[in-house]
Amino acid sequence: MFGFFKKSSPKTPELLASQLQPRIKHHAFVHALQEAGMTEDQAPLMQSFCGELLVTYAFDQPDQFVMATPDLLEQVGVTQDDLPDVAMSNLVKAMRWPPRFTAKAGVHQLDLGGNHEAVLLIVSSAFDQIESHLKGPAIATAPHRDCLLLCDGSDSDAVAELRRQTGEEFDRRQDNHRLSKQLMIRRDGFWRLFEEG
């Protein structure tokens, strides 16, 4: 069950602003929460990211994550306007940098040593560094929360291989943390859906 359905109790660790981090979710996440009985006051804060993907926010605790709701933000003294900056700052501090790269047929898989590699998509400074090593724009996919694949958009063979590896990774795992097969291209610091041709 999602952490934000849990009521405060002596066993629940105190929530802190320093625990807030962004997460990448598929839009089906919202439907799953509604089917699980989410009420309006329990609705997590989220925003559209690209295509099927959303950015949500959670308190990252050792044994669970607690989705950030307006009431919980108020408890820790963070405004909704400040939430993206606070969460991003916490994420950057927690990230192991630089990531490890595994390359196969022009496709690079990023490993940050955790289980939320997909969230690197929203760290602009990280992708600025990554793109400095590419000839063309970065094209990336996030088939799972712990799998981020990318290639050089100037290499058509690598783009085809990226699509193949993404489908393979997406189909390999049938769990709640699967995200999307969509390909995204980064232009002017923003991700957009990639359309060939």
Side-chain angles (χ1 to χ4, degrees):
M1 185 59 67
F2 296 100
F4 67 84
F5 284 126
K6 297 185 178 183
K7 300 294 183 184
S8 296
S9 71
K11 296 181 180 178
T12 302
E14 181 183 1
L15 299 178
L16 303 169
S18 60
Q19 298 167 334
L20 283 165
Q21 290 192 16
R23 293 284 180 260
I24 297 290
K25 299 286 185 184
H26 189 273
H27 67 74
F29 169 72
V30 179
H31 302 299
L33 294 182
Q34 291 168 342
E35 290 177 1
M38 177 185 71
T39 61
E40 187 174 338
D41 65 316
Q42 293 172 322
L45 295 163
M46 64 187 74
Q47 60 198 59
S48 295
F49 176 62
C50 180
E52 302 172 331
L53 301 180
L54 305 167
V55 177
T56 64
Y57 301 91
F59 295 89
D60 191 7
Q61 299 188 320
D63 59 350
Q64 68 176 345
F65 67 88
V66 178
M67 298 305 298
T69 65
D71 285 349
L72 293 180
L73 280 189
E74 188 175 349
Q75 287 179 31
V76 299
V78 175
T79 68
Q80 292 186 40
D81 287 343
D82 289 340
L83 175 60
D85 289 341
V86 170
M88 180 64 71
S89 176
N90 293 339
L91 173 66
V92 170
K93 289 175 187 173
M95 276 193 326
R96 186 194 70 198
W97 192 261
R100 289 195 299 259
F101 289 86
T102 304
K104 180 180 177 183
V107 174
H108 303 273
Q109 182 167 352
L110 278 67
D111 177 8
L112 290 169
N115 58 7
H116 294 287
E117 275 70 9
V119 79
L120 187 65
L121 287 166
I122 68 171
V123 184
S124 293
S125 59
F127 264 90
D128 288 344
Q129 290 182 45
I130 290 168
E131 282 191 318
S132 69
H133 299 285
L134 304 178
K135 293 179 181 178
I139 296 181
T141 64
H144 196 270
R145 73 174 184 179
D146 67 0
C147 182
L148 179 59
L149 303 172
L150 68 94
C151 73
D152 189 327
S154 68
D155 184 340
S156 59
D157 290 339
V159 173
E161 179 64 16
L162 175 66
R163 192 180 298 280
R164 188 195 70 77
Q165 288 187 32
T166 298
E168 187 177 79
E169 184 66 27
F170 184 86
D171 294 338
R172 183 174 69 85
R173 291 186 282 183
Q174 307 284 324
D175 62 29
N176 292 332
H177 304 299
R178 204 164 59 153
L179 292 175
S180 176
K181 294 182 183 181
Q182 71 183 22
L183 272 65
M184 298 168 284
I185 186 166
R186 191 169 185 260
R187 294 195 184 281
D188 301 320
F190 295 95
W191 292 102
R192 298 173 174 83
L193 292 177
F194 174 69
E195 297 180 6
E196 292 180 289

